[in-house]
Amino acid sequence: MSLKRNLNRALSAATGLEVRRAGSAPRVTPAPVTTPKPVKRPAPEYRCTDDPATDRLLRGPVFIMSPVRSGSTLLRMLLNAHSRLHAPHELHIRRLEVGYGSKLSERAMDALDLSRGDLEHLLWDRVLHRELVRSGKDVVVEKTPSNAFVYRRIRDCWPDARFVFLLRHPVSIARSWHEGDPEKRTYEEACADALRYMTAVDHARKGITGGHTLRYEELTTDPQGRLRALCAFLGVDFEPSMLAYGERDATQLQKGLGDWRDKIRTGSVQAGRPLPEDDEVPEVLRPISKAWGYLK
C-alpha cells in the first residue's frame, strides 16, 4: 500500500481529513482598473447678499473675463506690477466646493440661512481676501478664463465687483490654443473648444453693465495708453513701473496656471501676431469674429 494511502487512512481516522495533490490554480485575469470620471454636481442655489458688510470681507474685487489664450497672463503681470493692485495666478475659485458631512450639519447651516451655494461664496471670498491681505495691497484682480462660465454667480457674490473684458481676434486665440498643445487638439478642435470660452465672455459682456473692454491687439501696440484707461476705470493712478513687470519677482509665474512660456517671461510687452485676413476665418468663428468687430 502506498505511503500516501497509509497516511490518508491514519489522517482520516484521526481528523477526518486526507491529503490530495493540489491542482494548478486557475489563472485569473484582474479586471482593468478604471478611474471613475468625477460627477459634475449641479450648480447650488444661493441668495444674493443684501448685507455685504456682514457677508463679505473683500471690497471691490476685479475680475478679468477673457477666453483662453487671449493675453490675460500678460495683463495680469502688468496689473500686478502696480503698487496697489494684486493679480495672483489663476485661482479657479469656481471649482472650490463645499459639502455637508451630515444631515445635522446641513440643518445647522439651514438654520443660519446658509445654503451650499452661500457657503461656497463665503469660501471664495475668504480665499481672495486672504490672498489680498498677504500681498499688502488694496485691490485684488482675478483672471481665470473659466470664470466667464459663472459670471452671474461672481456678480451676485460680490455686488461691488468690477469687470474687465479682454478680447482678441478669435482666429489668433484658436491658433494659439492649438499651438499650446498640438498633440492634444487639432486646429479644428481648438476652434471649437476656444469658441466655448469666447461665447461665455460674450454672454458676460451682455449680462454685466458698466464693465471695461480691452483688446489684446491694442494692449500690445499701445500698452501705456491702454493701461492708463484701465487704471482710470479701476480708480488708481497709472504707474510707469507697470510696463516693466519683468523686474518683479519671477515666482509670479506658475506652470499650468496661465501662460508661463518664453514670450511672457521676457518681462516686457511683445508685439502680437499679425491679424488674420478675413478669408482665414473658419466658418465656425465667423459669427463671433463679426460680433467683436474683427470681421468686416
Side-chain angles (χ1 to χ4, degrees), residues 192-252:
D193 190 35
L195 181 59
R196 296 189 305 112
Y197 290 87
M198 293 183 243
T199 302
V201 171
D202 198 54
H203 288 162
R205 286 184 74 203
K206 296 174 180 176
I208 295 174
T209 58
H212 180 86
T213 297
L214 173 65
R215 295 179 185 271
Y216 172 78
E217 295 84 4
E218 297 172 344
L219 181 63
T220 54
T221 56
D222 181 22
Q224 181 169 323
R226 295 302 94 201
L227 288 176
R228 282 187 180 277
L230 179 54
C231 285
F233 170 74
L234 297 179
V236 298
D237 294 331
F238 168 75
E239 296 179 355
S241 62
M242 299 172 72
L243 299 175
Y245 71 83
E247 297 179 3
R248 295 186 64 82
D249 188 353
T251 58
Q252 292 182 86

Coordinates of all heavy atoms in Angstrom, one line a residue, residues 192-252:
A192 N -13.2 74.9 -31.9 CA -14.5 74.6 -31.2 C -14.4 74.8 -29.7 O -15.3 75.3 -29.1 CB -14.9 73.2 -31.6
D193 N -13.2 74.4 -29.2 CA -13.1 74.5 -27.7 C -12.9 75.9 -27.3 O -13.6 76.4 -26.3 CB -11.8 73.7 -27.3 CG -11.8 73.5 -25.8 OD1 -12.8 73.4 -25.1 OD2 -10.6 73.6 -25.2
A194 N -12.1 76.7 -28.0 CA -11.9 78.1 -27.6 C -13.2 78.9 -27.8 O -13.4 79.9 -27.1 CB -10.8 78.7 -28.5
L195 N -14.0 78.5 -28.8 CA -15.3 79.2 -29.0 C -16.2 79.1 -27.8 O -17.0 80.1 -27.5 CB -16.0 78.6 -30.2 CG -17.3 79.3 -30.6 CD1 -17.1 80.8 -30.9 CD2 -17.9 78.6 -31.8
R196 N -16.1 78.0 -27.0 CA -16.9 78.0 -25.8 C -16.6 79.1 -24.8 O -17.5 79.7 -24.2 CB -16.7 76.6 -25.1 CG -17.1 75.4 -25.8 CD -17.0 74.2 -24.9 NE -15.7 74.0 -24.3 CZ -15.4 74.1 -23.1 NH1 -16.3 74.4 -22.2 NH2 -14.2 73.9 -22.6
Y197 N -15.3 79.4 -24.7 CA -14.9 80.5 -23.8 C -15.3 81.8 -24.4 O -15.7 82.7 -23.7 CB -13.4 80.4 -23.6 CG -12.9 79.3 -22.8 CD1 -12.6 78.0 -23.3 CD2 -12.7 79.4 -21.4 CE1 -12.2 77.0 -22.6 CE2 -12.2 78.4 -20.6 CZ -12.0 77.2 -21.2 OH -11.6 76.1 -20.4
M198 N -15.1 82.0 -25.7 CA -15.5 83.3 -26.3 C -17.0 83.5 -26.2 O -17.4 84.7 -25.9 CB -15.1 83.2 -27.8 CG -13.6 83.2 -28.1 SD -13.2 83.2 -29.9 CE -12.4 81.7 -30.1
T199 N -17.8 82.5 -26.4 CA -19.2 82.7 -26.2 C -19.6 83.0 -24.8 O -20.4 83.9 -24.5 CB -19.9 81.4 -26.6 OG1 -19.6 81.1 -28.0 CG2 -21.4 81.5 -26.5
A200 N -18.9 82.4 -23.8 CA -19.2 82.7 -22.4 C -18.8 84.2 -22.1 O -19.5 84.9 -21.4 CB -18.4 81.8 -21.5
V201 N -17.7 84.6 -22.6 CA -17.3 86.0 -22.4 C -18.3 87.0 -23.1 O -18.6 88.0 -22.5 CB -15.8 86.2 -23.0 CG1 -15.5 87.7 -22.9 CG2 -14.8 85.5 -22.1
D202 N -18.7 86.6 -24.2 CA -19.7 87.5 -24.9 C -21.0 87.6 -24.1 O -21.6 88.6 -24.0 CB -20.0 86.9 -26.3 CG -20.6 87.9 -27.3 OD1 -20.0 89.0 -27.4 OD2 -21.7 87.6 -27.8
H203 N -21.4 86.5 -23.6 CA -22.6 86.5 -22.7 C -22.4 87.4 -21.5 O -23.3 88.1 -21.1 CB -23.0 85.1 -22.3 CG -23.6 84.3 -23.4 ND1 -23.7 82.9 -23.3 CD2 -24.1 84.6 -24.6 CE1 -24.2 82.4 -24.4 NE2 -24.5 83.4 -25.2
A204 N -21.2 87.3 -20.9 CA -20.9 88.1 -19.7 C -20.9 89.6 -20.1 O -21.4 90.4 -19.3 CB -19.5 87.7 -19.2
R205 N -20.3 89.9 -21.2 CA -20.3 91.3 -21.7 C -21.8 91.9 -21.8 O -22.0 93.0 -21.5 CB -19.6 91.5 -23.0 CG -18.1 91.4 -23.0 CD -17.6 91.6 -24.4 NE -17.6 93.0 -24.7 CZ -17.6 93.5 -26.0 NH1 -17.6 92.6 -27.0 NH2 -17.6 94.8 -26.2
K206 N -22.7 91.0 -22.3 CA -24.0 91.5 -22.5 C -24.8 91.4 -21.1 O -25.8 92.2 -21.0 CB -24.7 90.6 -23.5 CG -24.2 90.6 -24.9 CD -24.8 89.6 -25.8 CE -24.2 89.7 -27.2 NZ -24.7 88.7 -28.1
G207 N -24.4 90.6 -20.2 CA -25.1 90.5 -19.0 C -24.7 91.4 -17.8 O -25.3 91.5 -16.8
I208 N -23.5 92.0 -18.0 CA -22.9 92.9 -17.0 C -22.8 94.3 -17.5 O -22.2 94.5 -18.6 CB -21.6 92.4 -16.5 CG1 -21.7 91.0 -15.9 CG2 -20.9 93.4 -15.6 CD1 -20.4 90.4 -15.5
T209 N -23.4 95.2 -16.8 CA -23.3 96.6 -17.3 C -22.1 97.3 -16.5 O -21.8 96.9 -15.4 CB -24.6 97.4 -17.0 OG1 -24.9 97.3 -15.6 CG2 -25.7 96.8 -17.7
G210 N -21.6 98.3 -17.2 CA -20.5 99.1 -16.6 C -19.1 98.5 -16.6 O -18.3 99.0 -15.8
G211 N -18.9 97.5 -17.4 CA -17.6 96.9 -17.5 C -16.7 97.7 -18.4 O -17.1 98.6 -19.0
H212 N -15.4 97.3 -18.5 CA -14.4 97.9 -19.3 C -13.9 96.9 -20.3 O -13.4 95.8 -19.9 CB -13.2 98.4 -18.4 CG -12.2 99.1 -19.2 ND1 -12.2 100.5 -19.5 CD2 -11.0 98.7 -19.7 CE1 -11.1 100.8 -20.2 NE2 -10.4 99.7 -20.4
T213 N -13.9 97.2 -21.6 CA -13.5 96.3 -22.6 C -12.1 96.8 -23.1 O -11.8 97.9 -23.4 CB -14.5 96.3 -23.8 OG1 -15.7 95.8 -23.4 CG2 -14.0 95.4 -24.9
L214 N -11.2 95.8 -23.3 CA -9.9 96.0 -23.7 C -9.5 94.9 -24.7 O -9.9 93.8 -24.6 CB -8.9 95.9 -22.5 CG -7.4 95.9 -22.7 CD1 -7.0 97.3 -23.3 CD2 -6.6 95.6 -21.5
R215 N -8.8 95.3 -25.8 CA -8.4 94.4 -26.8 C -6.9 94.1 -26.7 O -6.1 95.0 -26.5 CB -8.8 94.9 -28.2 CG -10.2 95.1 -28.5 CD -10.5 95.7 -29.8 NE -12.0 95.9 -30.0 CZ -12.8 95.0 -30.4 NH1 -12.4 93.8 -30.8 NH2 -14.1 95.3 -30.6
Y216 N -6.6 92.8 -26.9 CA -5.2 92.4 -26.8 C -4.3 93.1 -27.8 O -3.2 93.6 -27.5 CB -5.1 90.9 -27.0 CG -3.7 90.4 -27.1 CD1 -2.9 90.2 -26.0 CD2 -3.2 90.0 -28.4 CE1 -1.6 89.7 -26.1 CE2 -1.9 89.5 -28.5 CZ -1.1 89.4 -27.4 OH 0.2 88.9 -27.5
E217 N -4.9 93.3 -29.0 CA -4.1 94.0 -30.1 C -3.8 95.4 -29.7 O -2.7 95.9 -30.0 CB -4.9 93.9 -31.4 CG -5.1 92.5 -31.9 CD -6.3 91.8 -31.3 OE1 -7.0 92.4 -30.5 OE2 -6.5 90.6 -31.7
E218 N -4.7 96.1 -29.0 CA -4.5 97.5 -28.6 C -3.5 97.5 -27.4 O -2.6 98.4 -27.3 CB -5.8 98.1 -28.2 CG -6.8 98.3 -29.3 CD -8.1 98.7 -28.8 OE1 -8.4 98.7 -27.6 OE2 -8.9 99.2 -29.7
L219 N -3.6 96.5 -26.5 CA -2.7 96.4 -25.4 C -1.2 96.3 -25.8 O -0.3 96.8 -25.2 CB -3.1 95.3 -24.5 CG -2.2 95.1 -23.2 CD1 -2.3 96.3 -22.3 CD2 -2.7 93.8 -22.5
T220 N -1.0 95.5 -26.9 CA 0.4 95.2 -27.3 C 0.9 96.3 -28.2 O 2.2 96.5 -28.3 CB 0.5 93.9 -28.1 OG1 -0.5 93.9 -29.2 CG2 0.2 92.7 -27.2
T221 N 0.1 97.1 -28.8 CA 0.6 98.2 -29.7 C 0.7 99.5 -28.9 O 1.5 100.4 -29.2 CB -0.3 98.4 -30.9 OG1 -1.7 98.6 -30.5 CG2 -0.3 97.2 -31.8
D222 N -0.2 99.7 -27.9 CA -0.2 100.9 -27.1 C -0.4 100.6 -25.7 O -1.4 100.9 -25.1 CB -1.3 101.9 -27.6 CG -1.4 103.2 -26.9 OD1 -0.3 103.6 -26.3 OD2 -2.4 103.8 -26.8
P223 N 0.6 99.9 -25.1 CA 0.4 99.5 -23.7 C 0.2 100.6 -22.7 O -0.7 100.5 -21.8 CB 1.6 98.7 -23.4 CG 2.6 99.1 -24.4 CD 1.9 99.5 -25.6
Q224 N 0.9 101.7 -22.9 CA 0.8 102.8 -21.9 C -0.6 103.4 -22.0 O -1.3 103.7 -21.0 CB 1.8 103.8 -22.1 CG 1.8 105.0 -21.1 CD 3.0 105.9 -21.2 OE1 4.1 105.4 -21.4 NE2 2.7 107.2 -21.0
G225 N -1.1 103.7 -23.2 CA -2.4 104.3 -23.4 C -3.5 103.4 -22.9 O -4.4 103.9 -22.2
R226 N -3.4 102.1 -23.2 CA -4.5 101.2 -22.7 C -4.5 101.0 -21.2 O -5.5 100.9 -20.6 CB -4.3 99.8 -23.4 CG -4.5 99.9 -24.9 CD -5.9 100.4 -25.3 NE -5.9 101.8 -25.6 CZ -6.9 102.6 -25.6 NH1 -8.1 102.1 -25.2 NH2 -6.8 103.9 -25.9
L227 N -3.3 101.0 -20.6 CA -3.2 100.8 -19.2 C -3.7 102.1 -18.5 O -4.3 102.0 -17.4 CB -1.8 100.5 -18.8 CG -1.3 99.0 -19.1 CD1 0.1 98.8 -18.8 CD2 -2.2 98.0 -18.4
R228 N -3.4 103.2 -19.0 CA -3.9 104.5 -18.4 C -5.4 104.4 -18.4 O -6.0 104.8 -17.3 CB -3.4 105.7 -19.2 CG -2.0 106.1 -19.0 CD -1.6 107.4 -19.7 NE -0.2 107.7 -19.4 CZ 0.2 108.4 -18.4 NH1 -0.7 108.7 -17.4 NH2 1.5 108.7 -18.2
A229 N -6.1 104.0 -19.5 CA -7.5 104.0 -19.5 C -8.0 103.0 -18.5 O -9.0 103.2 -17.8 CB -8.0 103.7 -20.9
L230 N -7.4 101.8 -18.4 CA -7.8 100.8 -17.5 C -7.6 101.2 -16.0 O -8.5 101.0 -15.2 CB -7.0 99.5 -17.7 CG -7.4 98.3 -16.8 CD1 -8.9 98.0 -16.8 CD2 -6.6 97.1 -17.2
C231 N -6.5 101.9 -15.7 CA -6.3 102.4 -14.4 C -7.4 103.4 -14.0 O -7.8 103.4 -12.8 CB -4.9 103.0 -14.2 SG -3.6 101.8 -14.2
A232 N -7.7 104.2 -14.9 CA -8.8 105.2 -14.7 C -10.1 104.5 -14.3 O -10.8 104.9 -13.4 CB -9.0 106.1 -15.9
F233 N -10.4 103.4 -15.0 CA -11.6 102.7 -14.7 C -11.5 102.1 -13.3 O -12.5 102.0 -12.6 CB -11.8 101.6 -15.8 CG -12.9 100.6 -15.4 CD1 -14.2 100.9 -15.5 CD2 -12.5 99.3 -15.0 CE1 -15.2 100.0 -15.2 CE2 -13.5 98.4 -14.7 CZ -14.8 98.7 -14.8
L234 N -10.4 101.6 -12.9 CA -10.2 100.9 -11.6 C -10.0 102.0 -10.5 O -9.9 101.6 -9.3 CB -9.0 100.0 -11.7 CG -9.1 98.8 -12.7 CD1 -7.8 98.0 -12.6 CD2 -10.3 98.0 -12.4
G235 N -9.9 103.2 -10.8 CA -9.8 104.2 -9.8 C -8.4 104.3 -9.2 O -8.2 104.7 -8.0
V236 N -7.3 104.0 -9.9 CA -6.0 104.1 -9.4 C -5.2 104.9 -10.5 O -5.5 104.9 -11.6 CB -5.3 102.7 -9.2 CG1 -6.1 101.9 -8.1 CG2 -5.3 101.9 -10.5
D237 N -4.1 105.4 -10.0 CA -3.2 106.2 -10.9 C -2.3 105.2 -11.7 O -1.9 104.2 -11.2 CB -2.3 107.1 -10.1 CG -3.1 108.2 -9.4 OD1 -4.1 108.6 -10.0 OD2 -2.6 108.7 -8.4
F238 N -2.1 105.6 -13.0 CA -1.2 104.8 -13.8 C 0.2 104.9 -13.3 O 0.7 106.0 -12.9 CB -1.2 105.3 -15.3 CG -0.1 104.7 -16.1 CD1 -0.1 103.4 -16.6 CD2 1.0 105.5 -16.4 CE1 0.9 102.9 -17.3 CE2 2.0 105.0 -17.2 CZ 2.0 103.7 -17.7
E239 N 1.0 103.8 -13.2 CA 2.3 103.8 -12.8 C 3.2 103.3 -13.9 O 3.0 102.2 -14.4 CB 2.5 103.0 -11.5 CG 1.7 103.5 -10.3 CD 1.9 102.7 -9.1 OE1 2.5 101.6 -9.2 OE2 1.4 103.1 -8.0
P240 N 4.3 104.1 -14.3 CA 5.2 103.6 -15.4 C 5.8 102.2 -15.1 O 6.1 101.5 -16.0 CB 6.2 104.7 -15.5 CG 5.5 105.9 -15.0 CD 4.6 105.4 -13.9
S241 N 5.9 101.9 -13.8 CA 6.5 100.6 -13.5 C 5.7 99.4 -14.0 O 6.3 98.3 -14.1 CB 6.7 100.5 -11.9 OG 5.4 100.6 -11.3
M242 N 4.5 99.7 -14.3 CA 3.7 98.6 -14.8 C 4.2 98.0 -16.1 O 4.1 96.8 -16.4 CB 2.2 99.1 -15.0 CG 1.5 99.6 -13.8 SD -0.1 100.3 -14.1 CE -1.0 98.9 -14.5
L243 N 4.8 98.9 -16.9 CA 5.4 98.4 -18.2 C 6.6 97.6 -18.0 O 7.1 96.9 -19.0 CB 5.7 99.7 -19.1 CG 4.4 100.5 -19.4 CD1 4.8 101.8 -20.2 CD2 3.4 99.7 -20.2
A244 N 7.3 97.7 -16.9 CA 8.5 96.9 -16.6 C 8.1 95.7 -15.6 O 8.8 95.5 -14.6 CB 9.6 97.8 -16.0
Y245 N 7.1 95.0 -15.9 CA 6.6 94.0 -15.0 C 7.7 92.9 -14.7 O 7.6 92.2 -13.7 CB 5.3 93.4 -15.5 CG 5.5 92.5 -16.7 CD1 5.8 91.1 -16.6 CD2 5.2 93.0 -18.0 CE1 6.0 90.3 -17.7 CE2 5.3 92.1 -19.1 CZ 5.7 90.8 -19.0 OH 5.8 90.0 -20.1
G246 N 8.6 92.7 -15.7 CA 9.6 91.7 -15.5 C 10.6 91.9 -14.4 O 11.3 91.0 -14.0
E247 N 10.6 93.2 -13.9 CA 11.5 93.5 -12.7 C 11.0 92.9 -11.4 O 11.7 93.0 -10.4 CB 11.7 95.0 -12.7 CG 12.4 95.5 -13.9 CD 12.6 97.0 -13.8 OE1 12.3 97.6 -12.7 OE2 13.1 97.6 -14.8
R248 N 9.7 92.4 -11.4 CA 9.2 91.9 -10.2 C 9.6 90.5 -10.0 O 10.2 89.9 -10.8 CB 7.6 92.1 -10.2 CG 7.2 93.5 -10.2 CD 5.7 93.6 -10.0 NE 5.3 93.1 -8.8 CZ 5.3 93.8 -7.6 NH1 5.7 95.0 -7.6 NH2 4.9 93.3 -6.5
D249 N 9.2 89.9 -8.9 CA 9.5 88.5 -8.5 C 9.1 87.5 -9.6 O 7.9 87.5 -10.0 CB 8.9 88.2 -7.2 CG 9.3 86.9 -6.6 OD1 10.1 86.1 -7.3 OD2 9.0 86.5 -5.5
A250 N 10.0 86.7 -10.0 CA 9.7 85.7 -11.1 C 8.7 84.6 -10.6 O 8.2 83.8 -11.4 CB 11.0 85.1 -11.6
T251 N 8.5 84.5 -9.3 CA 7.6 83.4 -8.8 C 6.2 83.7 -9.1 O 5.3 82.9 -8.8 CB 7.8 83.3 -7.3 OG1 7.4 84.6 -6.6 CG2 9.2 82.9 -6.9
Q252 N 5.9 84.8 -9.8 CA 4.5 85.1 -10.2 C 4.0 84.1 -11.2 O 2.8 83.9 -11.4 CB 4.4 86.5 -10.8 CG 4.6 87.6 -9.9 CD 4.5 89.0 -10.6 OE1 3.4 89.5 -10.8 NE2 5.6 89.5 -11.1

